[in-house]
Amino acid sequence: MAIGSEPTDGFDPTTGWGRYGSPLFQSTLLTLDRNFNVQPDLAVDYSVSEDGLEWTVKIRDDVKFSDGEPLTIEDVIFTFETAKNSQSVVDLQNLKKIEKLDAQTVKFVLERPQSTFLYTLTMLGIVPKHAYSENYRENPIGSGPYKLVQWDKGQQLIVEENPYYYGKKSPFKKLTFLFLSQDAAFLAAKAGQVDIVSVPPNLAKESISGMKLIALDSVDNRGIMLPFVKPGYDAEKGIEIGHEVTSDLAIRKALNICIDRDKLVEDVLEGFGTPAFSVADKLPWWNEETVFEDGDIEAAEQILMDAGWRKNADGIFEKDGEKASFTLVYPASDQTRQSLAIAFKQMAKEIGIEVNTEGKSWSEIEEVMHSTPVVMGWGSHDPIEIYHLYHSKYRGQGYSNANYYSNKKVDQYMDQAIHAITPEEANEYWKKAQWDGETGFSALGDAPWVWLVNLQHLYFVNEHLNIGEQKIQPHGHGWPITEFIADWTWEE
């Protein structure tokens, strides 16, 4: 298989491995099925107290790690404590303490109710206390369906079935992951050297003898982050923030309405994608009311004129001596984002907004992203991503809310979502944060982003291999296509 980049940070769930799809080597307490319903994995049962502060989980008593050692409640406690102390992308700061109730039962006590703790239980792979060290990320031992056998860095990873795995076993005893450039991977597929290969849109319309193209819908989105506040300086963080033009609501709304997302899908993604209207299209916490008619040049121009913008002799809108002009940066190494930036520039020009595009390295982007529009991408199976992107308390914290968005009502809804007791209750508040009929962080409200497209994840697959039904794919890190590998079959 050549299905994605090499996980250079290794395979340690306590620092983030597995959060975009299956951890493969490790098991999780719970899991989400194809329809995002919660299912047991290591856990046989779980319950949440009425106040939402205590989560009690009972685990199986028949599970062994790939080294033959039993998985115990101590391993569960060790994993969560290690993840909390890692100060990584696994956010467990709200976890107050963990109590062992008996040999099979653990109680997680939270500082405050947190509905998204459920998704942590579905993503955090359990690591063995007895075999965990600073080298664990390169030599993972877990209770998942596969165990790591050989890792030739920069070249390949070989895994074999875990003989102690308790769940439904995959018919494939051995998997080899090849780490190749997209062009090299495509050539390897043409030469019959791989059974699954991930390809970009520009290669997806090619044909490979003995292989079929599979296009998987995703929430792996691309959008334009627009600085939300007036130009200024955050003295605490030592960074320039804001932008004179994009801080104008009319500019942000006009851009959202003028963009023809179907055309972007067709021209840039060659048809392999869907229009994006939010960071979480089609997920359970998405507000479908936020979809709107786009590609409307006339309506976009009217929004600007109603806000006092007037076109100059060059056809560019101006207001109070300020031209409707800004630079849009994108990662120079990403061809798709470059193409989206150029197409966005052309569509913005049609309504009289001047956009200059510039490719930069990620380290250069980090220096300017609080005061300059950026082509970014997100897409998680955990609504905590919404919280990090839009809550005012995350303003300027790295890539989280880099554009300094703030809306007290939206904050209130998101706090209510986080502190809800059930996912169903939380989802109602996530939806209101997007749009409640009057305000929200969607394009109908404050429009701090112009969401453009959701990529389809594209694979050429051996015609004998059936990978079954998948769920909406997350952002492209990790190997989410392997999540349901137990259901794959080989058909002659």
Side-chain angles (χ1 to χ4, degrees):
M1 298 191 287
I3 58 172
S5 59
E6 182 174 24
T8 52
D9 292 334
F11 305 98
D12 185 350
T14 68
T15 57
W17 163 249
R19 67 194 175 103
Y20 291 115
S22 165
L24 195 65
F25 306 114
Q26 299 91 2
S27 308
T28 52
L29 292 172
L30 300 170
T31 188
L32 297 174
D33 67 15
R34 291 168 175 83
N35 297 312
F36 294 90
N37 298 311
V38 178
Q39 303 292 339
D41 189 353
L42 280 175
V44 294
D45 192 23
Y46 82 100
S47 61
V48 186
S49 62
E50 285 191 13
D51 61 7
L53 293 175
E54 297 180 352
W55 293 63
T56 304
V57 181
K58 184 176 183 179
I59 65 168
R60 302 169 63 121
D61 61 2
D62 60 347
V63 178
K64 291 182 178 180
F65 288 107
S66 56
D67 63 358
E69 291 293 316
L71 186 153
T72 68
I73 211 73
E74 278 77 15
D75 296 305
V76 175
I77 294 170
F78 174 79
T79 298
F80 277 77
E81 288 179 341
T82 302
K84 178 173 180 174
N85 294 330
S86 72
Q87 301 292 311
S88 69
V89 293
V90 184
D91 186 359
L92 286 171
Q93 296 313 301
N94 189 43
L95 180 58
K96 185 177 182 180
K97 61 180 177 178
I98 312 171
E99 297 176 4
K100 175 182 175 181
L101 300 186
D102 60 42
Q104 254 67 56
T105 313
V106 65
K107 181 164 73 176
F108 299 97
V109 182
L110 308 182
E111 297 278 1
R112 298 187 67 187
Q114 181 188 340
S115 61
T116 57
F117 188 66
L118 173 69
Y119 302 99
T120 303
L121 300 182
T122 69
M123 293 180 186
L124 183 53
I126 304 303
V127 302
K129 184 177 181 180
H130 71 274
Y132 188 86
S133 70
E134 59 186 24
N135 297 321
Y136 178 83
R137 66 188 186 92
E138 297 186 4
N139 299 284
I141 290 172
S143 55
Y146 287 91
K147 62 178 182 178
L148 191 152
V149 175
Q150 181 180 332
W151 185 6
D152 303 316
K153 289 188 177 179
Q155 298 176 37
Q156 65 177 2
L157 183 85
I158 299 173
V159 309
E160 292 179 357
E161 70 170 358
N162 172 9
Y164 301 104
Y165 183 54
Y166 55 90
K168 180 180 178 181
K169 288 186 178 287
S170 166
F172 301 98
K173 310 295 184 189
K174 178 181 172 183
L175 309 173
T176 301
F177 297 86
L178 301 180
F179 305 126
L180 303 170
S181 70
Q182 287 185 320
D183 289 340
F186 183 75
L187 291 174
K190 282 221 156 194
Q193 297 169 343
V194 295
D195 296 296
I196 309 180
V197 60
S198 169
V199 293
N202 64 308
L203 293 177
K205 291 187 176 177
E206 300 279 334
S207 62
I208 301 179
S209 177
M211 302 191 88
K212 58 196 173 187
L213 179 72
I214 292 180
L216 302 178
D217 284 341
S218 84
V219 69
D220 190 356
N221 46 53
R222 299 293 180 268
I224 311 294
M225 181 196 69
L226 300 173
F228 186 74
V229 295
K230 289 278 189 181
Y233 184 74
D234 185 333
E236 183 184 338
K237 296 185 175 68
I239 51 177
E240 300 285 343
I241 65 172
H243 194 285
E244 190 64 48
V245 175
T246 63
S247 60
D248 189 310
L249 176 61
I251 292 285
R252 300 194 303 271
K253 281 188 171 289
L255 287 169
N256 264 285
I257 288 176
C258 82
I259 298 302
D260 186 335
R261 290 162 178 80
D262 286 315
K263 188 170 174 56
L264 292 179
V265 169
E266 200 55 43
D267 293 352
V268 178
L269 303 184
E270 304 201 25
F272 297 112
T274 57
F277 294 93
S278 82
V279 73
D281 289 0
K282 304 293 197 314
L283 296 181
W285 40 90
W286 172 57
N287 186 340
E288 60 188 32
E289 293 179 12
T290 57
V291 176
F292 54 90
E293 289 289 329
D294 63 0
D296 193 332
I297 304 297
E298 193 175 314
E301 290 183 335
Q302 191 62 52
I303 287 171
L304 292 170
M305 288 189 288
D306 289 347
W309 290 87
R310 296 290 180 265
K311 283 190 176 179
N312 63 19
D314 298 323
I316 305 300
F317 274 106
E318 285 188 5
K319 182 181 178 180
D320 300 331
E322 186 76 38
K323 266 205 323 183
S325 175
F326 58 84
T327 297
L328 172 63
V329 301
Y330 59 88
S333 59
D334 191 319
Q335 186 178 349
T336 299
R337 296 193 203 201
Q338 179 185 24
S339 298
L340 285 170
I342 293 169
F344 178 86
K345 169 183 178 174
Q346 292 167 342
M347 290 178 181
K349 185 179 180 181
E350 287 186 48
I351 63 165
I353 295 179
E354 181 182 70
V355 178
N356 302 300
T357 58
E358 186 178 351
K360 291 180 176 288
S361 68
W362 276 114
S363 59
E364 290 172 323
I365 289 173
E366 288 174 13
E367 293 177 5
V368 301
M369 65 185 179
H370 305 290
S371 58
T372 306
V374 182
V375 184
M376 285 198 175
W378 297 89
S380 172
H381 287 164
D382 184 345
I384 195 73
E385 182 173 81
I386 291 175
Y387 202 64
H388 291 158
L389 275 184
Y390 292 106
H391 200 288
S392 62
K393 75 178 182 181
Y394 286 100
R395 284 179 295 181
Q397 292 193 19
Y399 289 99
S400 296
N401 199 348
N403 54 346
Y404 276 68
Y405 173 64
S406 178
N407 178 321
K408 287 183 179 179
K409 189 67 175 176
V410 169
D411 281 354
Q412 180 186 328
Y413 285 139
M414 290 194 291
D415 288 336
Q416 287 173 296
I418 283 285
H419 301 311
I421 307 301
T422 67
E424 292 77 18
E425 180 190 356
N427 288 346
E428 291 308 308
Y429 287 117
W430 291 126
K431 291 175 182 180
K432 284 186 175 182
Q434 292 160 67
W435 180 244
D436 66 359
E438 294 182 1
T439 191
F441 63 68
S442 69
L444 301 183
D446 296 322
W449 284 74
V450 183
W451 294 104
L452 301 175
V453 295
N454 299 304
L455 311 181
Q456 282 183 322
H457 290 176
L458 306 170
Y459 301 91
F460 277 108
V461 178
N462 189 302
E463 61 188 4
H464 297 292
L465 179 60
N466 181 356
I467 65 169
E469 185 186 349
Q470 304 288 321
K471 68 182 179 213
I472 295 175
Q473 301 281 283
H475 195 62
H477 300 300
W479 304 318
I481 193 176
T482 64
E483 181 171 4
F484 300 108
I485 198 166
D487 296 330
W488 292 11
T489 56
W490 190 270
E491 300 164 353
E492 294 299 339

